Structures are given as C-alpha cells and as structure tokens.
Amino acid sequence: MPSAGRYRGNVFRARGGLNGIFRVIPLRVPTIDSLVLPAKVKEFVSFPHGLVLVTGPAGQGKTCTLAALIKLINESSAKHILTVEDPIEFIHPRGHSLINQRAVHRDTEGFASALRAALREDPDVIMIGELRDQETISNAIRAAETGHLVFGTLMTTSAHKTVDRIIDAYPANQQSQVRTMLSESLRAIVSQKLVRNAEGRAMVAATEILIATPPVANLIREAKTFQIPSVLQTGRALGMHRLEESLRDLAKLGAITAEAALEKANDPRTLRELLGIRP
C-alpha cells in the first residue's frame, strides 16, 4: 500500500541464521530548516555550476542533507535535476523543477556510467549519491567544469580530508592536474556528524563548512590542504567554521552535552579549549 511507508532494508546471513537491518524512510522530504543546518547551506543551491560535497561517516545524515538541497531547488526554480542513488530513498514530488531519479543496478549500471550518460541528458543539476571511485570522481569534476551544478557525498570526517581523499584517488603522476581541476570546480564542502541531543531523544547535526574562496583554491593547487583548518578558523564572516566550533555552539546552547560533543570532535583538545574545560 502506498500509505504504508517506505523502508530501506538489508538482510544478511550470520552464524548460520538470517539477520536484518531496517530503516524507515520519511515520506516527507526534509528541509534545511527542519534539519537545523546552518543558513549558509541554503546558498549552495544558487551556484550556477561547480561541485558541492556533503561528507561524513556512514549514517550521519548526508542523504537527508542532499535531499533537502534538491527540495530547495525544486521549490524555488525551474531546473532539470538528475539524481543517481543507491538506493533511491526520498521520493521528490512534482514542483517547479523536472526531477529524474535513477537507481543504481535498476536504472543504470553504476554511478560512473550514469554520470557519463548524464552529460548527454541536458541536466542543470546532478546529484550523485556517492563518489566511490576515481572514474566517478573524474566524471563529477568534468560535469562541474562543463556548466553543471553537481552535488555528491564522500565518507570523510573533515573538509581538508575530503580534498585529500579526492586527490589520493589518482596516481601520483596525475595529482597535480587533478588539484588544478578541483581548485577550479569545487564550490563548498559540508562535513557533518550527528550528535544525540541533551534529552537523548533525537539527533542534532554538527557541521564543518568550507567555502572554496580564492585562497582555498590556491591551497588546493599548491598541495597545502593542511592549512585549510586555519582558513576555517578565520573565515567565519564568510560562513565557514570548524566542526569543533559547531559542537561548541550546540553545547553552549544546551542542545547537546559537553560529553557528547567531545565524543564527536575531530580535535577534542581544541574543543576542550573552546568550552573552557581544563585537561
């Protein structure tokens, strides 16, 4: 029955028996506001072209964030949006945009082949569920370079590690060229982790946001991504911030506990300093 809901499941054998993991997929597509993400994220749908990445470990809400971005475009402008997902989770209703959602293994062989075909399907916006391999990454960068707005995900824990992961997907003799291509196509990175709220009843997203300003692009070209955390620290006026700053703000608002924040921090020592906690 259509009203019964949507579910994502995985069944596997273990110790001679069957186990299963099931997840309820909400029928309503989330919004940036309902996910309590920074308002800066809304601006990412206004880029005319380029690459926007949503990153984080598995199960940290990346799919929800991507769905919210697509929903915002669908509600605000008339675009042709093409998504490639494994599997399709949120179903986008008819809005101002035309949305074609393709499922890997059902509608297409894989992410890389779907991206190759996408360039012949005249989309304005492409959403790729996961940049899994070098070919998919290359096709995503190429699409961003040729005038498309491309959204995608990577399983990394911070903005600068995301850049490093992309570069490291290539052989050493190609990395210089890829750095140049990425520095020109990258627009923003949102790295996020879910933290249990202070009441223990829900999850709150803590984020790290990198905007690909000219100084950031220069760091990528010159293989100085280790300096990106310093840019995040000084770029708050532009909407950038480190994960630890987001965790601090959530803790000071009482949305999460200091203990929960420290468990999710990439740099617990820095977070202790921000919270005024002595070692």
Side-chain angles (χ1 to χ4, degrees):
M1 295 176 58
S3 61
R6 287 175 53 79
Y7 306 87
R8 177 177 176 176
N10 184 63
V11 178
F12 56 94
R13 293 187 180 276
R15 300 180 68 180
L18 287 175
N19 285 328
I21 303 295
F22 299 93
R23 173 187 173 189
V24 178
I25 307 298
L27 296 177
R28 186 184 297 272
V29 181
T31 65
I32 300 296
D33 291 335
S34 69
L35 296 175
V36 199
L37 293 169
K40 186 69 178 181
V41 175
K42 294 181 180 181
E43 298 179 16
F44 298 164
V45 303
S46 300
F47 292 125
H49 54 80
L51 181 63
V52 176
L53 299 174
V54 179
T55 75
Q60 300 302 305
K62 299 186 296 295
T63 298
C64 290
T65 297
L66 284 178
L69 288 165
I70 297 301
K71 176 183 177 70
L72 183 56
I73 297 173
N74 189 28
E75 292 178 341
S76 60
S77 56
K79 303 284 187 181
H80 178 199
I81 303 170
L82 181 66
T83 78
V84 186
E85 305 169 67
D86 181 21
I88 294 174
E89 296 193 14
F90 292 98
I91 302 297
H92 291 275
R94 183 184 298 274
H96 292 293
S97 293
L98 168 65
I99 304 180
N100 287 307
Q101 295 182 256
R102 306 187 71 195
V104 172
H105 306 308
R106 188 191 70 187
D107 304 318
T108 181
E109 293 180 356
F111 288 113
S113 59
L115 267 173
R116 285 197 304 272
L119 298 182
R120 299 189 293 271
E121 293 159 5
D122 196 30
D124 301 298
V125 179
I126 302 171
M127 191 275 276
I128 184 80
E130 185 178 348
L131 303 182
R132 289 182 176 174
D133 51 50
Q134 180 188 327
E135 185 179 4
T136 305
I137 292 171
S138 295
N139 290 342
I141 293 175
R142 186 175 301 111
E145 288 181 324
T146 53
H148 304 84
L149 178 57
V150 181
F151 295 95
T153 73
L154 277 170
M155 290 190 184
T156 55
T157 58
S158 67
H160 77 275
K161 288 182 179 179
T162 299
V163 176
D164 291 339
R165 176 71 61 83
I166 291 174
I167 302 301
D168 290 344
Y170 292 82
N173 64 340
Q174 297 180 25
Q175 290 184 0
S176 178
Q177 179 184 1
V178 173
R179 287 185 181 279
T180 299
M181 294 170 62
L182 184 62
S183 71
E184 295 173 352
S185 61
L186 184 66
R187 294 294 174 268
I189 297 173
V190 182
S191 183
Q192 61 185 59
K193 291 184 179 181
L194 295 181
V195 189
R196 192 161 298 280
N197 71 356
E199 291 79 22
R201 298 177 182 176
M203 305 299 286
V204 179
T207 59
E208 180 168 281
I209 293 182
L210 174 69
I211 309 298
T213 60
V216 169
N218 190 55
L219 292 178
I220 295 173
R221 277 193 303 270
E222 296 185 359
K224 295 180 179 179
T225 54
F226 62 90
Q227 294 183 13
I228 287 178
S230 296
V231 175
L232 293 173
Q233 188 173 359
T234 59
R236 201 168 180 91
L238 299 174
M240 292 190 265
H241 60 260
R242 295 174 296 169
L243 177 68
E244 286 69 30
E245 292 170 325
S246 177
L247 289 166
R248 174 202 60 193
D249 293 344
L250 290 169
K252 288 194 172 182
L253 286 171
I256 62 176
T257 65
E259 292 77 12
L262 287 167
E263 288 178 1
K264 294 291 185 175
N266 292 331
D267 186 352
R269 180 178 178 179
T270 294
L271 181 55
R272 287 191 185 94
E273 293 176 356
L274 291 172
L275 291 172
I277 298 175
R278 294 182 178 180

PDB file of all heavy atoms in Angstrom, residues 7 15 27-28 71 90 95 114 128 180 184 200 224 226 254 273:
ATOM      1  N   TYR A   7      10.706   1.941   3.329  1.00  0.00           N
ATOM      2  CA  TYR A   7      11.694   1.339   4.222  1.00  0.00           C
ATOM      3  C   TYR A   7      12.922   0.927   3.422  1.00  0.00           C
ATOM      4  O   TYR A   7      12.809   0.523   2.263  1.00  0.00           O
ATOM      5  CB  TYR A   7      11.108   0.116   4.938  1.00  0.00           C
ATOM      6  CG  TYR A   7       9.823   0.404   5.658  1.00  0.00           C
ATOM      7  CD1 TYR A   7       8.605   0.318   4.996  1.00  0.00           C
ATOM      8  CD2 TYR A   7       9.833   0.803   6.992  1.00  0.00           C
ATOM      9  CE1 TYR A   7       7.412   0.618   5.644  1.00  0.00           C
ATOM     10  CE2 TYR A   7       8.650   1.095   7.652  1.00  0.00           C
ATOM     11  CZ  TYR A   7       7.440   0.999   6.962  1.00  0.00           C
ATOM     12  OH  TYR A   7       6.271   1.302   7.612  1.00  0.00           O
ATOM     13  N   ARG A  15      26.234 -16.403  11.522  1.00  0.00           N
ATOM     14  CA  ARG A  15      26.244 -17.526  12.469  1.00  0.00           C
ATOM     15  C   ARG A  15      25.127 -18.518  12.175  1.00  0.00           C
ATOM     16  O   ARG A  15      24.415 -18.991  13.064  1.00  0.00           O
ATOM     17  CB  ARG A  15      26.140 -17.010  13.900  1.00  0.00           C
ATOM     18  CG  ARG A  15      27.282 -16.079  14.307  1.00  0.00           C
ATOM     19  CD  ARG A  15      27.155 -15.597  15.725  1.00  0.00           C
ATOM     20  NE  ARG A  15      27.344 -16.696  16.683  1.00  0.00           N
ATOM     21  CZ  ARG A  15      27.279 -16.547  17.998  1.00  0.00           C
ATOM     22  NH1 ARG A  15      27.007 -15.354  18.509  1.00  0.00           N
ATOM     23  NH2 ARG A  15      27.469 -17.576  18.796  1.00  0.00           N
ATOM     24  N   LEU A  27       8.206   9.881   4.473  1.00  0.00           N
ATOM     25  CA  LEU A  27       7.544  10.198   3.214  1.00  0.00           C
ATOM     26  C   LEU A  27       7.736  11.663   2.842  1.00  0.00           C
ATOM     27  O   LEU A  27       7.722  12.019   1.669  1.00  0.00           O
ATOM     28  CB  LEU A  27       6.051   9.863   3.311  1.00  0.00           C
ATOM     29  CG  LEU A  27       5.713   8.379   3.508  1.00  0.00           C
ATOM     30  CD1 LEU A  27       4.207   8.195   3.662  1.00  0.00           C
ATOM     31  CD2 LEU A  27       6.239   7.552   2.341  1.00  0.00           C
ATOM     32  N   ARG A  28       7.922  12.503   3.839  1.00  0.00           N
ATOM     33  CA  ARG A  28       8.122  13.928   3.591  1.00  0.00           C
ATOM     34  C   ARG A  28       9.615  14.227   3.465  1.00  0.00           C
ATOM     35  O   ARG A  28      10.408  13.855   4.340  1.00  0.00           O
ATOM     36  CB  ARG A  28       7.515  14.753   4.723  1.00  0.00           C
ATOM     37  CG  ARG A  28       7.543  16.271   4.476  1.00  0.00           C
ATOM     38  CD  ARG A  28       7.015  16.997   5.707  1.00  0.00           C
ATOM     39  NE  ARG A  28       5.638  16.653   5.967  1.00  0.00           N
ATOM     40  CZ  ARG A  28       4.602  17.286   5.437  1.00  0.00           C
ATOM     41  NH1 ARG A  28       4.795  18.317   4.631  1.00  0.00           N
ATOM     42  NH2 ARG A  28       3.362  16.909   5.720  1.00  0.00           N
ATOM     43  N   LYS A  71      15.296  19.500  -2.656  1.00  0.00           N
ATOM     44  CA  LYS A  71      13.957  20.028  -2.382  1.00  0.00           C
ATOM     45  C   LYS A  71      13.935  21.543  -2.524  1.00  0.00           C
ATOM     46  O   LYS A  71      12.991  22.109  -3.103  1.00  0.00           O
ATOM     47  CB  LYS A  71      13.525  19.626  -0.963  1.00  0.00           C
ATOM     48  CG  LYS A  71      12.170  20.190  -0.518  1.00  0.00           C
ATOM     49  CD  LYS A  71      11.877  19.790   0.917  1.00  0.00           C
ATOM     50  CE  LYS A  71      10.565  20.398   1.425  1.00  0.00           C
ATOM     51  NZ  LYS A  71       9.393  19.788   0.769  1.00  0.00           N
ATOM     52  N   PHE A  90      14.502   9.146  -0.659  1.00  0.00           N
ATOM     53  CA  PHE A  90      13.434  10.148  -0.669  1.00  0.00           C
ATOM     54  C   PHE A  90      12.883  10.309  -2.086  1.00  0.00           C
ATOM     55  O   PHE A  90      13.645  10.466  -3.041  1.00  0.00           O
ATOM     56  CB  PHE A  90      13.945  11.489  -0.160  1.00  0.00           C
ATOM     57  CG  PHE A  90      14.291  11.482   1.303  1.00  0.00           C
ATOM     58  CD1 PHE A  90      15.598  11.320   1.723  1.00  0.00           C
ATOM     59  CD2 PHE A  90      13.298  11.626   2.265  1.00  0.00           C
ATOM     60  CE1 PHE A  90      15.926  11.301   3.064  1.00  0.00           C
ATOM     61  CE2 PHE A  90      13.605  11.613   3.617  1.00  0.00           C
ATOM     62  CZ  PHE A  90      14.920  11.446   4.022  1.00  0.00           C
ATOM     63  N   GLY A  95       7.376  19.647  -8.572  1.00  0.00           N
ATOM     64  CA  GLY A  95       7.484  21.026  -8.118  1.00  0.00           C
ATOM     65  C   GLY A  95       7.762  21.924  -9.300  1.00  0.00           C
ATOM     66  O   GLY A  95       7.237  21.701 -10.399  1.00  0.00           O
ATOM     67  N   ALA A 114      26.395   6.273 -15.121  1.00  0.00           N
ATOM     68  CA  ALA A 114      25.267   7.207 -15.093  1.00  0.00           C
ATOM     69  C   ALA A 114      25.731   8.641 -15.281  1.00  0.00           C
ATOM     70  O   ALA A 114      25.063   9.442 -15.941  1.00  0.00           O
ATOM     71  CB  ALA A 114      24.509   7.055 -13.782  1.00  0.00           C
ATOM     72  N   ILE A 128      24.797  13.035  -7.237  1.00  0.00           N
ATOM     73  CA  ILE A 128      25.385  11.707  -7.283  1.00  0.00           C
ATOM     74  C   ILE A 128      25.500  11.182  -5.857  1.00  0.00           C
ATOM     75  O   ILE A 128      26.104  11.830  -4.994  1.00  0.00           O
ATOM     76  CB  ILE A 128      26.750  11.734  -8.009  1.00  0.00           C
ATOM     77  CG1 ILE A 128      27.326  10.326  -8.160  1.00  0.00           C
ATOM     78  CG2 ILE A 128      27.714  12.666  -7.345  1.00  0.00           C
ATOM     79  CD1 ILE A 128      26.722   9.567  -9.298  1.00  0.00           C
ATOM     80  N   THR A 180      44.519  21.109  -9.790  1.00  0.00           N
ATOM     81  CA  THR A 180      44.112  22.299 -10.545  1.00  0.00           C
ATOM     82  C   THR A 180      42.640  22.219 -10.920  1.00  0.00           C
ATOM     83  O   THR A 180      41.890  23.195 -10.750  1.00  0.00           O
ATOM     84  CB  THR A 180      44.974  22.439 -11.813  1.00  0.00           C
ATOM     85  OG1 THR A 180      46.344  22.598 -11.433  1.00  0.00           O
ATOM     86  CG2 THR A 180      44.539  23.646 -12.624  1.00  0.00           C
ATOM     87  N   GLU A 184      39.388  24.619  -9.357  1.00  0.00           N
ATOM     88  CA  GLU A 184      38.534  25.442 -10.215  1.00  0.00           C
ATOM     89  C   GLU A 184      37.065  25.053 -10.139  1.00  0.00           C
ATOM     90  O   GLU A 184      36.188  25.890 -10.381  1.00  0.00           O
ATOM     91  CB  GLU A 184      39.018  25.340 -11.661  1.00  0.00           C
ATOM     92  CG  GLU A 184      40.410  25.936 -11.879  1.00  0.00           C
ATOM     93  CD  GLU A 184      40.959  25.692 -13.270  1.00  0.00           C
ATOM     94  OE1 GLU A 184      40.311  24.916 -14.028  1.00  0.00           O
ATOM     95  OE2 GLU A 184      42.014  26.263 -13.615  1.00  0.00           O
ATOM     96  N   GLY A 200      18.522  13.104  24.915  1.00  0.00           N
ATOM     97  CA  GLY A 200      18.751  11.731  24.497  1.00  0.00           C
ATOM     98  C   GLY A 200      17.670  11.159  23.613  1.00  0.00           C
ATOM     99  O   GLY A 200      17.610   9.945  23.394  1.00  0.00           O
ATOM    100  N   LYS A 224      48.609  22.358  -0.224  1.00  0.00           N
ATOM    101  CA  LYS A 224      48.738  22.827   1.155  1.00  0.00           C
ATOM    102  C   LYS A 224      47.415  22.691   1.898  1.00  0.00           C
ATOM    103  O   LYS A 224      47.010  23.567   2.666  1.00  0.00           O
ATOM    104  CB  LYS A 224      49.203  24.283   1.175  1.00  0.00           C
ATOM    105  CG  LYS A 224      50.613  24.487   0.597  1.00  0.00           C
ATOM    106  CD  LYS A 224      51.023  25.950   0.651  1.00  0.00           C
ATOM    107  CE  LYS A 224      52.435  26.142   0.106  1.00  0.00           C
ATOM    108  NZ  LYS A 224      52.847  27.573   0.123  1.00  0.00           N
ATOM    109  N   PHE A 226      46.726  21.034   4.376  1.00  0.00           N
ATOM    110  CA  PHE A 226      46.890  21.013   5.825  1.00  0.00           C
ATOM    111  C   PHE A 226      46.645  22.393   6.440  1.00  0.00           C
ATOM    112  O   PHE A 226      46.454  22.513   7.656  1.00  0.00           O
ATOM    113  CB  PHE A 226      48.297  20.519   6.195  1.00  0.00           C
ATOM    114  CG  PHE A 226      49.417  21.389   5.682  1.00  0.00           C
ATOM    115  CD1 PHE A 226      49.895  22.443   6.449  1.00  0.00           C
ATOM    116  CD2 PHE A 226      49.984  21.150   4.443  1.00  0.00           C
ATOM    117  CE1 PHE A 226      50.923  23.258   5.981  1.00  0.00           C
ATOM    118  CE2 PHE A 226      51.017  21.962   3.970  1.00  0.00           C
ATOM    119  CZ  PHE A 226      51.492  23.013   4.735  1.00  0.00           C
ATOM    120  N   GLY A 254      22.902  24.348  24.913  1.00  0.00           N
ATOM    121  CA  GLY A 254      22.225  23.299  25.665  1.00  0.00           C
ATOM    122  C   GLY A 254      21.573  22.244  24.797  1.00  0.00           C
ATOM    123  O   GLY A 254      20.850  21.379  25.287  1.00  0.00           O
ATOM    124  N   GLU A 273      39.350  23.450  24.847  1.00  0.00           N
ATOM    125  CA  GLU A 273      39.753  24.850  24.985  1.00  0.00           C
ATOM    126  C   GLU A 273      38.586  25.782  24.668  1.00  0.00           C
ATOM    127  O   GLU A 273      38.353  26.781  25.365  1.00  0.00           O
ATOM    128  CB  GLU A 273      40.932  25.140  24.065  1.00  0.00           C
ATOM    129  CG  GLU A 273      42.226  24.419  24.455  1.00  0.00           C
ATOM    130  CD  GLU A 273      43.338  24.658  23.443  1.00  0.00           C
ATOM    131  OE1 GLU A 273      43.076  25.312  22.421  1.00  0.00           O
ATOM    132  OE2 GLU A 273      44.463  24.165  23.688  1.00  0.00           O
TER     133      GLU A 273
END
